[in-house]
């Protein structure tokens, strides 16, 4: 829901604990030959047993037919209407690189590219330069000095980087109402940044000055002798989970982007460890201090994005083997969800509804016999909006008062 | 729906008859040992046969995760958006005690309490005094005289009472924008009532004068020598069912609160009789005069609230045995619904979706084989908002015109 008024008015603090395990890109579609989805092919004895004792269903991250990015997918799981609360691509990229994004900063995604002698882009990805080379290039960008702002670049994988433009102390505020400099095609020159609102002109001037000087600073490099920027955006001002739910949430996520998303909604983001077993151990260590635990499992999505069916199946198997350690924590409410589907047949995020299970002492059971897309269809939850998951979690944890007399 | 515009524009008067049987607190969750809900354990041959010939589904009174009180639960069944149309606690209490709540009255819930010699509350419930004692206390309150208003108290169960503050004829109007005098904790003194809006100050003064005089009037009683008030509210101005649906509705409900709710939406509230058989007979007697019959069955909720599994099962059995008499009336549309779930495992209202069946000559059937939470999950209706029930009832009764050409 876009407005947390009702939930906020009913939320009450209790000692009960909620664990939300997000298996990134969880949902899939049948393999063209075996007709089994990755979840159906996986050995999920633990998840299946859990599903039989849970309320199961399918969750829609945004709406039927809409394929969400990681930002909307996670915001919906945290109960935030993903259409109302938008997070720009630049911000998401900066968060993904663990940058310290502050209120007032304008963020952008950057690519290093190859420019021909005529200034036209000959390769948008500069031959996918090695990730070892990129830090030297961003180092040159960081030495570019600007009036009334500071540019902070951080290297990503291969040709990618993120840029933060930070207003000078006491200087005028910056705007994200800007067009991309990335023409998104080869054979064209990088575009000047232009303002889409009058109040963006000052920032466009600063960025064009930056782009000129930055291009000059790497002009003698090869093959990455140019750069383009896109997705200008600022840090959104999101309601905090402590305020709207009365929770004391913690994020146990190894990957920077999810850590950044968790920070935006007010979670305590801690050192997670590398494996899911480490993450569960981290949850145990912080068990007494928190009442909401967001645990992010990335491998399911990675297998899906790579179009590697076996890798995704094995990622599910691995999670299933670690599940008993999570159950040992004995949370009052355990949610196993996904932020979106990533079918290996598509090798990218998709719009398909995502299996979800909610386990508590107060379960109304349907007909689900295993944890899979089809079996969850037979669950008592039916197909719900992902933004309904948090109210259900709070209700099952006894953290919501009755509405009305 | 908050706005009845569409339904109102399509509603047409016909001779067909709709019966809405509300089994209060109908839904449940599995018994921890038998894994059967109360509905699954009950002997419901008649309801099961009816379900097989009906459109079945599950209804959500407010939203996923939200546990409704009786007010929102019933308003939703009557088609009123329960978030938009709020009924205050004081009003509901006064209606529950069958008080004649008039437009302009301000209602409150009251508790008699025990005050120590220092004026602090030592027992918020005055030792749960017997219901025999309370009428003598409210009688003393009713003798308190006020300028510009009249205070009318009526005893409830044990230490509870309801208070109506009625403006004097020609006197200034009263406000409900007031803080509670109930501090909700022992060891504190009752609070003075304060206005939360400037236009409430006049009413706050009257109420504080009332509280002073009422406390003096019972000061020598024991253990109930004090009182506190909360939930100040006025009678809501709800659209009337005759206006929005073109219906001539009747309420056949023995319990005062449901009679009061029915009055608020414009139903003709008649003497119902004590048992469900009496109520069905009452419906028969009024059959020709009305086209919408709300029949309220309380026993299912009572069993649930008491945490008495067998009592709730027996309440369902009893209803099932009486069902043939209701079917004998041969309504064009018969709805069997619940205002919310009251699982005996929780011993209170809950957020779980509620089984619903709609029988008419125009039934699209699903896979439901019995009337239970799980079997209704397999029905053609799916999981619907409770506010969708009235439009479906009207449609099945041929009482809605086509929308658009």
């Amino acid at each position: 829901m876009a407005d947390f008024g009702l939930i906020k008015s009913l939320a009450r603090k209790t000692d009960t604990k909620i664990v939300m395990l997000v298996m990134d890109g969880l949902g899939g579609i049948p393999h063209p030959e075996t007709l089994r989805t990755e979840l159906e092919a996986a050995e999920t004895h633990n998840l299946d047993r859990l599903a039989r004792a849970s309320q199961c269903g399918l969750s829609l991250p945004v709406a039927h037919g809409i394929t969400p990015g990681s930002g909307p997918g996670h915001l919906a799981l945290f109960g935030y209407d993903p259409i109302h609360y938008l997070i720009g691509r630049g911000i998401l990229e900066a968060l993904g690189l663990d940058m310290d994004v502050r209120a007032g900063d304008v963020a952008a995604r950057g690519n290093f590219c190859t420019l021909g002698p005529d200034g036209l882009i000959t390769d948008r990805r500069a031959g996918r330069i090695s990730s070892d080379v990129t830090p030297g290039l961003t180092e040159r960008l960081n030495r570019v000095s600007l009036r009334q702002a500071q540019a902070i670049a951080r290297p990503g994988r291969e040709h990618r980087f993120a840029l933060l433009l930070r207003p000078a102390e006491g200087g005028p505020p910056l705007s994200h109402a800007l067009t991309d400099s990335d023409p998104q095609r080869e054979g064209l020159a990088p575009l000047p940044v232009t303002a889409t609102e009058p109040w963006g002109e000052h920032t466009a001037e600063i960025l064009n000055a930056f782009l000129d000087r930055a291009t000059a600073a790497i002009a003698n490099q090869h093959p990455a002798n140019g750069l383009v920027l896109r997705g200008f955006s600022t840090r959104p001002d999101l309601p905090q989970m402590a305020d709207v739910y009365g929770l004391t949430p913690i994020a146990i996520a190894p990957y920077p982007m999810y850590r950044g998303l968790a920070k935006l909604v007010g979670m305590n983001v801690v050192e997670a460890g590398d494996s899911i077993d480490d993450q569960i151990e981290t949850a145990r260590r912080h068990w007494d201090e928190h009442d909401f635990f967001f645990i992010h499992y990335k491998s399911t999505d990675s297998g899906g994005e790579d179009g590697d069916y076996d890798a995704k199946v094995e990622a599910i198997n691995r999670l299933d083997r670690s599940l008993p350690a999570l159950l040992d924590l004995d949370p009052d409410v355990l949610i196993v969800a996904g932020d979106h589907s990533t079918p290996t047949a598509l090798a990218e995020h998709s719009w398909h509804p995502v299996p979800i299970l909610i386990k508590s002492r107060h379960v109304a059971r349907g007909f689900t016999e295993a944890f899979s897309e089809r079996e969850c269809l037979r669950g008592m939850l039916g197909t719900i909006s992902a933004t309904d998951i948090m109210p259900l979690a709070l209700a099952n944890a006894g953290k919501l008062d009755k509405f009305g007399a």
Side-chain angles (χ1 to χ4, degrees), chain A:
Chain A
M1 47 198 78
D3 175 3
F4 289 99
L6 177 62
I7 290 292
K8 190 173 168 174
S9 71
L10 301 177
R12 67 176 170 209
K13 196 98 191 145
T14 71
D15 290 338
T16 54
K17 300 199 186 278
I18 301 170
V19 169
M20 176 182 276
L21 170 64
V22 176
M23 297 175 69
D24 203 302
L26 175 61
I29 60 176
H31 187 282
E33 281 155 32
T34 65
L35 298 185
R36 291 195 299 180
T37 68
E38 302 88 338
L39 262 175
E40 287 169 342
E43 300 277 329
T44 51
H45 300 299
N46 293 312
L47 280 167
D48 293 347
R49 187 179 311 120
L50 184 63
R52 285 193 290 274
S54 297
Q55 292 165 100
C56 297
L58 295 164
S59 71
L60 277 176
V62 182
H64 283 289
I66 306 301
T67 296
S70 298
H74 276 82
L75 282 188
L77 289 178
F78 302 151
Y80 295 69
D81 179 343
I83 294 179
H84 184 81
Y85 297 107
L86 294 172
I87 302 179
R89 291 206 65 95
I91 288 293
L92 214 59
E93 193 74 8
L95 292 175
L97 296 176
D98 225 357
M99 295 180 83
D100 170 31
V101 183
R102 303 184 192 167
D105 291 355
V106 170
R109 298 184 69 171
N111 274 15
F112 290 109
C113 61
T114 307
L115 300 176
D118 50 4
L120 305 187
I121 297 170
T122 59
D123 185 336
R124 287 186 64 237
R125 297 181 181 83
R128 288 192 184 273
I129 45 171
S130 149
S131 301
D132 298 341
V133 176
T134 321
L137 295 166
T138 52
E139 190 49 44
R140 285 168 186 259
L141 303 195
N142 283 331
R143 286 200 292 266
V144 169
S145 78
L146 297 168
R147 287 173 53 189
Q148 303 192 307
Q150 180 192 3
I152 309 159
R154 182 164 294 185
R157 273 201 291 180
E158 298 174 341
H159 54 285
R160 301 179 187 90
F161 67 95
L163 183 81
L164 288 184
L165 195 67
R166 179 163 295 164
E169 203 142 340
L174 301 177
S175 160
H176 65 280
L178 305 165
T179 61
D180 296 344
S181 86
D182 186 347
Q184 302 264 11
R185 268 178 52 198
E186 289 163 2
L188 298 176
L191 303 166
V193 173
T194 62
T196 57
E197 305 273 7
W199 45 277
E201 277 166 24
H202 163 71
T203 314
E205 274 170 37
I206 296 177
L207 278 165
N208 287 322
F210 168 77
L211 285 166
D212 285 347
R213 292 169 206 175
T215 308
I218 58 172
N220 62 348
Q221 303 293 305
H222 185 77
N225 64 345
L227 73 160
V228 287
L229 298 175
R230 60 193 163 109
F232 295 106
S233 43
T234 48
R235 183 186 166 118
D237 189 18
L238 296 175
Q240 303 294 287
M241 289 181 86
D243 292 335
V244 294
Y245 302 133
L247 292 171
T248 309
I250 183 173
I252 304 174
Y255 282 73
M257 188 195 294
Y258 312 97
R259 299 167 66 82
L261 283 165
K263 255 182 235 163
L264 291 179
V265 295
M267 292 195 205
N268 177 26
V269 178
V270 296
E271 193 56 50
D274 293 325
S275 69
I276 183 67
D277 295 317
D278 293 344
Q279 289 174 262
I280 294 168
E281 188 47 41
T282 302
R284 183 186 298 281
R285 217 161 41 239
H286 292 276
W287 196 246
D288 293 339
E289 306 143 37
H290 291 277
D291 52 13
F292 182 88
F293 298 77
F294 160 51
I295 300 180
H296 183 262
Y297 184 65
K298 177 69 176 168
S299 313
T300 29
D301 185 58
S302 310
E305 294 258 21
D306 293 343
D308 186 338
Y309 186 89
D310 295 338
K312 187 169 176 188
V313 169
E314 180 47 33
I316 298 167
N317 291 346
R318 219 160 44 236
L319 188 286
D320 192 76
R321 288 194 293 271
S322 300
L323 194 65
L326 187 57
L327 296 175
D328 267 354
L329 294 174
D330 195 23
D332 299 277
V333 176
L334 172 60
I335 302 154
V336 181
D339 55 340
H340 52 75
S341 293
T342 307
T344 46
L346 281 162
E348 59 184 1
H349 294 196
S350 80
W351 61 91
H352 300 89
V354 191
I356 161 103
L357 71 76
I358 302 179
K359 171 77 171 71
S360 80
R361 270 184 296 277
H362 313 300
V363 161
R365 289 170 60 191
F367 296 96
T368 301
E369 293 291 336
F371 193 56
S372 72
E373 296 78 2
R374 296 213 296 182
E375 286 291 332
C376 282
L377 177 62
R378 312 202 300 161
M380 188 52 89
L381 290 179
T383 298
I384 61 176
S385 163
T387 55
D388 287 328
I389 295 172
M390 278 303 297
L392 282 166
L394 295 167
N396 276 275
K399 290 185 191 292
L400 286 184
D401 282 329
K402 186 163 69 172
F403 169 59

